[in-house]
Amino acid sequence: MNWLLIAMIGSLLIPIYDAWQNDNIWQRMLAFASLSTKASIIILFVSVLRDDWMIGIVAVIILTVGNAGLMLLSHIIKRMSEA
């Protein structure tokens, strides 16, 4: 199972590289949304491996609230750029 965790962490580097290369704010926000989702999936995977559901609850909260907060921030930036 360690090789699967290493592959997941390796796939986590792809949105970081994309956010580092693009100057467009929307591309960066999309990359950070992908990063948030992947990080929460990794935390959920680790919680299943450790059989610790308190960490799993934290991962589920990050998965649900984290992306909602990012979408709210993107709408605020969009409204500010229109005005």
Side-chain angles (χ1 to χ4, degrees):
M1 287 297 189
N2 287 338
W3 60 271
L4 187 59
L5 187 61
I6 291 171
M8 291 173 99
I9 292 172
S11 70
L12 192 66
L13 297 177
I14 296 170
I16 292 173
Y17 178 74
D18 188 45
W20 179 45
Q21 291 294 320
N22 279 326
D23 289 333
N24 188 359
I25 188 69
W26 296 106
Q27 292 292 327
R28 282 190 175 184
M29 292 188 79
L30 185 64
F32 286 133
S34 176
L35 181 77
S36 169
T37 303
K38 287 178 181 162
S40 61
I41 294 296
I42 289 173
I43 293 170
L44 198 58
F45 181 72
V46 168
S47 74
V48 169
L49 285 180
R50 292 182 53 155
D51 197 23
D52 188 4
W53 290 106
M54 294 301 287
I55 298 173
I57 290 172
V58 170
V60 168
I61 290 172
I62 290 172
L63 190 61
T64 57
V65 177
N67 286 337
L70 194 64
M71 291 305 293
L72 182 64
L73 180 63
S74 68
H75 282 289
I76 289 172
I77 290 174
K78 184 178 178 183
R79 292 280 174 114
M80 288 177 63
S81 66
E82 289 175 356

